[in-house]
Amino acid sequence: MSIRPEEISAILKQQLERYQSEVEVSNVGSVIYVGDGIARVYGLQGAMAGELLEFTGGTFGMVLNLEEDNVGAVLLGAYSHIKEGDVVKATGRIMEVPTGDAMLGRVVNPLGQPLDGKGPINTNTFKPIERVAYGVVTRAPVNVPMQTGLKAIDSMVPIGRGQRELIIGDRQVGKTAIAIDAIINQRLKKDMICIYVGIGQKQSTIAGIHTKLEEMGAMDYSIIVASTASEPAPLLYLAPYAGVAMAEEFMESQSKDVLIIYDDLSKHAVAYREMSLLLRRPPGREAYPGDVFYLHSRLLERACKLNEDHGGGSITALPIIETQAGDVSAYIPTNVISITDGQIYLETDLFYAGQRPAINAGLSVSRVGGSAQTKAMKSVAGQLRLDLAQYRELAAFAQFGSDLDKATLARLTRGEKVLEVLKQGQYAPMAMEDQVAIIYSGVNGYLDDIPRDKIAPFEVDFLKYLRANTNVLKSISETGKIDDATNATLIKAIEDFKSTFVV
């Protein structure tokens, strides 16, 4: 039978009296329970929510519960040496993480300690992991594109700097691949800092991502915050808050644009649930603690675009959520969908059918929309959505009918070719102007007479031809639009290239 903490409190009052002559009682307490990664401490009258506590043996904890006669704290490290009656010191400091340029290129844990074997991180700037998000008055409209380098996203589900766009789908359908491609794509301009937060991922997965980013030259402007599956729940809980605190330093002090990826918030919710139930917080629907919505809303609200008076920096958040058997109506997915500004929905059936990235164009949406697109991309994207919508509608009926009229067959052919155009390999993000040129060819019917298996080679060779023989791509890149002269040159280039392309 377990003894309640308040019963132990009375016994420990006498033990604490011997410390009164040495230190202020309000700054020192005593462990009355320890186990499962949490501790209850008696005697810390002045403790603050989120305050760091120092336990014996150099282990730190963080205050989460402020109760009538004790505080509940989570332990941030090994706790097998801590026992009942041990002294606990309040540090008077809210939980902070190191930030600044010294973090770039490093792999750290949620406490900011290096994991990559490259030595200590020398920085004097620290930021608290929890803070109130910027208000509406300090924000600016989201209207600058955040290019992912993926045709299907930049054309149909555009993301703006300062937006929160959810990536959602079942396991193993390419959610992380989209996020990593978005990081790699920033190497073209190197005007964005990227932070990848791995929550409950395997160590091998984090190591693989680190290796790939280094190989692609993306670690120069990136930070990896890793909390692996083998670590205790409190570190998984802290990871995304530590990541966004690092992002805020770049946004505020250097007025930079930051991309942050939370991979994934499903595991974050599970870690929080574990901690909360151990701390005896009231569980809510589906046995999750009642404030799991607040857990994610206060995190994602910190992504924003600041106005010029506040430096004009931004934080773009790409949270990832894993669904079970495609169920987007479950508790955690609906929570995060309601907080974010749109979602990219990845479908398992599309993935196994070879459509990669497996983006369902019907269920994916961006609430920022065309505001975060260049004029060139906007001009080709409208027709692209229409072609795909018509194709989806007709494809369902076409499988039952054998004799189709000419117009229906033409629409089906166009849809098939456009879908083929949207396929893209992993770790191969494309520049905006390259995407525009190839999508333009697809939506204007220039690929209708090319076999599906030849479209990928056509794309590669056509872009090489454009670079070598015209200044179309340079013009689109510099002006951000397709003017009449560029349009005429592009059409002529497509026709000339098609005449030489061997089918």
Side-chain angles (χ1 to χ4, degrees):
M1 192 175 82
S2 61
I3 303 171
R4 291 183 303 160
E6 48 273 24
E7 291 172 0
I8 306 170
S9 303
I11 304 164
L12 288 166
K13 276 180 184 174
Q14 296 95 17
Q15 291 185 18
L16 277 173
E17 284 170 8
R18 68 176 184 270
Y19 300 115
Q20 279 183 334
S21 58
E22 299 167 23
V23 284
E24 250 334 288
V25 177
S26 60
N27 291 331
V28 128
S30 183
V31 176
I32 55 177
Y33 168 82
V34 62
D36 298 315
I38 69 145
R40 292 193 175 273
V41 183
Y42 173 80
L44 294 174
Q45 285 93 338
M48 302 176 282
E51 184 175 355
L52 270 182
L53 302 179
E54 191 176 347
F55 290 80
T56 53
T59 298
F60 284 89
M62 187 177 80
V63 176
L64 279 185
N65 279 22
L66 296 174
E67 295 176 19
E68 206 171 319
D69 57 352
N70 67 81
V71 301
V74 290
L75 298 166
L76 308 171
Y79 59 88
S80 55
H81 59 282
I82 300 171
K83 56 186 186 299
E84 288 176 20
D86 281 356
V87 178
V88 182
K89 293 176 187 171
T91 61
R93 288 170 53 213
I94 298 295
M95 179 71 193
E96 296 175 319
V97 287
T99 58
D101 288 338
M103 307 296 290
L104 293 174
R106 302 301 299 267
V107 182
V108 297
N109 70 7
L111 305 177
Q113 297 163 332
L115 299 173
D116 50 12
K118 293 180 181 174
I121 294 169
N122 299 312
T123 181
N124 297 319
T125 53
F126 290 82
K127 269 209 174 299
I129 61 162
E130 293 273 14
R131 63 161 292 170
V132 178
Y134 279 94
V136 175
V137 177
T138 61
R139 299 189 183 210
V142 174
N143 51 22
V144 180
M146 196 291 292
Q147 301 286 352
T148 62
L150 298 169
K151 290 172 284 191
I153 294 176
D154 292 343
S155 58
M156 296 187 296
V157 200
I159 302 170
R161 298 190 178 198
Q163 190 176 342
R164 300 155 302 176
E165 184 80 8
L166 171 64
I167 301 172
I168 186 167
D170 286 3
R171 65 186 301 273
Q172 298 291 310
V173 292
K175 300 186 297 296
T176 303
I178 285 177
I180 299 305
D181 279 351
I183 292 177
I184 293 169
N185 191 52
Q186 306 315 313
R187 75 178 193 264
L188 298 173
K189 291 186 178 175
K190 292 201 174 177
D191 61 345
M192 272 193 113
I193 302 293
C194 300
I195 300 173
Y196 174 84
V197 182
I199 308 162
Q201 302 294 323
K202 291 185 289 188
Q203 287 181 351
S204 59
T205 303
I206 300 286
I209 288 169
H210 179 227
T211 304
K212 179 51 72 174
L213 291 181
E214 276 202 326
E215 186 185 305
M216 304 295 279
M219 275 310 286
D220 299 345
Y221 53 84
S222 302
I223 304 168
I224 295 177
V225 181
S227 55
T228 58
S230 59
E231 286 170 350
L235 288 178
L236 272 66
Y237 160 75
L238 286 177
Y241 296 104
V244 78
M246 294 172 194
E248 281 172 339
E249 172 65 25
F250 290 108
M251 177 179 74
E252 293 167 354
S253 303
Q254 303 181 26
S255 299
K256 287 192 174 176
D257 294 318
V258 186
L259 169 65
I260 185 164
I261 287 133
Y262 305 113
D263 188 11
D264 65 59
L265 291 187
S266 311
K267 295 187 180 75
H268 186 231
V270 170
Y272 178 71
R273 173 196 183 194
E274 180 185 325
M275 272 171 31
S276 296
L277 294 178
L278 287 167
L279 286 165
R280 302 294 175 94
R281 290 182 169 193
R285 174 177 162 198
E286 290 185 11
Y288 274 91
D291 57 349
V292 77
F293 178 87
Y294 178 54
L295 172 79
H296 289 150
S297 64
R298 74 178 191 264
L299 171 70
L300 293 168
E301 277 300 318
R302 289 163 74 175
C304 65
K305 179 170 172 57
L306 297 179
N307 58 32
E308 290 305 319
D309 295 342
H310 290 79
S314 71
I315 295 175
T316 309
L318 296 182
I320 294 174
I321 288 285
E322 184 182 299
T323 54
Q324 306 292 325
D327 182 13
V328 293
S329 64
Y331 183 44
I332 303 300
T334 49
N335 266 355
V336 185
I337 286 170
S338 65
I339 297 163
T340 49
D341 310 309
Q343 66 275 347
I344 296 165
Y345 178 60
L346 301 181
E347 200 169 348
T348 311
D349 292 346
L350 286 176
F351 184 82
Y352 291 122
Q355 187 67 36
R356 299 177 189 180
I359 294 168
N360 181 317
L363 293 179
S364 300
V365 64
S366 170
R367 295 190 185 100
V368 172
S371 305
Q373 276 180 316
T374 57
K375 287 182 180 176
M377 184 60 86
K378 206 186 292 190
S379 66
V380 297
Q383 185 62 40
L384 177 67
R385 267 193 173 280
L386 187 63
D387 287 345
L388 282 179
Q390 290 175 341
Y391 172 72
R392 276 200 310 273
E393 198 175 311
L394 292 172
F397 293 102
Q399 58 187 326
F400 300 113
S402 54
D403 46 338
L404 299 168
D405 63 273
K406 212 170 183 182
T408 305
L409 272 173
R411 280 183 185 173
L412 284 170
T413 303
R414 178 72 52 83
E416 281 177 2
K417 300 303 160 64
V418 164
L419 272 179
E420 203 65 33
V421 161
L422 292 179
K423 287 184 182 178
Q424 198 165 340
Q426 195 174 348
Y427 309 129
M430 292 172 69
M432 179 273 294
E433 58 272 20
D434 293 0
Q435 295 181 42
V436 169
I438 194 66
I439 292 171
Y440 180 95
S441 308
V443 297
N444 287 295
Y446 293 108
L447 304 181
D448 289 0
D449 55 347
I450 293 178
R452 278 175 62 179
D453 60 336
K454 296 289 183 185
I455 285 179
F458 176 93
E459 180 180 317
V460 174
D461 294 344
F462 176 55
L463 291 174
K464 283 180 186 171
Y465 177 85
L466 282 181
R467 281 193 202 92
N469 299 288
T470 70
N471 62 351
V472 165
L473 297 179
K474 188 181 177 188
S475 172
I476 295 172
S477 175
E478 288 173 356
T479 63
K481 60 185 182 183
I482 303 175
D483 54 29
D484 293 341
T486 306
N487 190 47
T489 311
L490 186 53
I491 291 171
K492 186 175 185 312
I494 294 169
E495 288 169 348
D496 290 349
F497 177 72
K498 275 185 73 177
S499 65
T500 62
F501 184 69
V502 180
V503 176

